[in-house]
Amino acid sequence: GESVGLHLPTLSVQEGDNSIINCAYSNSASDYFIWYKQESGKGPQFIIDIRSNMDKRQGQRVTVLLNKTVKHLSLQIAATQPGDSAVYFCAENNAGNMLTFGGGTRLMVKP
Amino acid sequence: EPEVTQTPSHQVTQMGQEVILRCVPISNHLYFYWYRQILGQKVEFLVSFYNNEISEKSEIFDDQFSVERPDGSNFTLKIRSTKLEDSAMYFCAGRLAMNTGELFFGEGSRLTVL
């Protein structure tokens, strides 16, 4: 069936290092992906999105890469800061009105 | 900055009781959603709402659930007869347009069913 999932439940990085969070999807027809950040006790917050006609998209300190061949996307955070500590979800915008979230990766930033 | 507000922030109820969770979306948003998140798990889609109608719903959103937009601003989720497994964080979200994946989420309502 269609699914969006994550490889690692927890990622621990040193402050200042780059972080890479991965996500796999199974529906080859998926054409729009979004990354969300969820801080403790809060709702998910939009970070960046990418459509399937792109391989890469950059934001402020974040980059999303999409590899349609292997149905994989990643979120790269440059110079990770303590404020980046959160759970990160990839999400897929299905045909229609529904956003489906993956399982989440907890990013822990060590000082 | 406009935000989505949800009430109550935490509700404790007995199994079998009715619960209404309330949301005030951002005023110019057109599409509205309820999601739930069981502690430590992923965010699960419940229902989407557009033009005063349900547009999509998940398997979770059974006959015990209903949504309303009674007055053009509030957006409510009702659970008629709560079960233990309904204990979760419930998030309301809104979206301005269909061509963006940017949903604006509220801070959630934690429901604890005893």
Side-chain angles (χ1 to χ4, degrees):
Chain A
E2 300 168 5
S3 67
V4 181
L6 291 164
H7 292 305
L8 296 173
T10 304
L11 176 65
S12 185
V13 300
Q14 204 70 39
E15 181 179 355
D17 287 352
N18 296 335
S19 302
I20 300 176
I21 301 169
N22 297 301
C23 180
Y25 63 95
S26 58
N27 183 3
S28 56
S30 299
D31 62 358
Y32 184 32
F33 304 91
I34 309 101
W35 281 99
Y36 278 82
K37 173 186 181 183
Q38 186 179 27
E39 296 178 77
S40 181
K42 295 190 174 182
Q45 183 180 18
F46 174 90
I47 302 173
I48 192 168
D49 58 359
I50 188 167
R51 297 191 183 274
S52 60
N53 60 352
M54 302 174 72
D55 297 321
K56 179 179 179 179
R57 191 151 190 243
Q58 287 186 290
Q60 189 175 20
R61 278 202 309 119
V62 294
T63 301
V64 54
L65 299 177
L66 176 62
N67 186 330
K68 295 179 285 294
T69 303
V70 296
K71 291 184 282 190
H72 180 272
L73 69 158
S74 65
L75 177 71
Q76 300 180 1
I77 304 173
T80 314
Q81 302 168 0
D84 295 326
S85 294
V87 177
Y88 290 81
F89 294 94
C90 62
E92 172 189 15
N93 195 105
N94 297 316
N97 204 9
M98 193 167 77
L99 207 65
T100 301
F101 283 79
T105 293
R106 181 174 300 281
L107 177 64
M108 299 173 63
V109 183
K110 296 178 288 186
Chain B
E1 185 175 316
E3 59 182 23
V4 178
T5 56
Q6 290 187 241
T7 54
S9 57
H10 188 193
Q11 181 155 356
V12 181
T13 190
Q14 294 291 323
M15 191 169 55
Q17 294 297 302
E18 177 182 282
V19 161
I20 298 176
L21 305 178
R22 292 183 168 82
C23 171
V24 180
I26 295 171
S27 60
N28 62 345
H29 283 183
L30 301 175
Y31 301 86
F32 310 106
Y33 305 82
W34 283 101
Y35 282 81
R36 81 170 185 190
Q37 187 177 33
I38 295 170
L39 186 63
Q41 298 187 24
K42 68 178 182 181
V43 180
E44 299 176 291
F45 171 78
L46 292 177
V47 65
S48 59
F49 193 84
Y50 169 69
N51 202 24
N52 291 320
E53 289 184 341
I54 290 174
S55 47
E56 287 180 274
K57 59 183 180 179
S58 71
E59 293 176 354
I60 302 168
F61 194 88
D62 61 22
D63 292 346
Q64 292 301 309
F65 290 86
S66 62
V67 289
E68 278 190 340
R69 196 158 186 245
D71 56 11
S73 60
N74 292 291
F75 180 47
T76 63
L77 175 70
K78 182 193 290 186
I79 309 174
R80 279 183 246 287
S81 177
T82 50
K83 304 185 287 287
L84 295 176
E85 54 265 37
D86 293 327
S87 294
M89 199 75 164
Y90 288 82
F91 291 104
C92 171
R95 169 151 72 169
L96 178 61
M98 277 288 282
N99 61 356
T100 172
E102 185 170 6
L103 268 60
F104 290 80
F105 284 82
E107 300 224 325
S109 292
R110 178 170 298 284
L111 176 64
T112 302
V113 182
L114 302 176

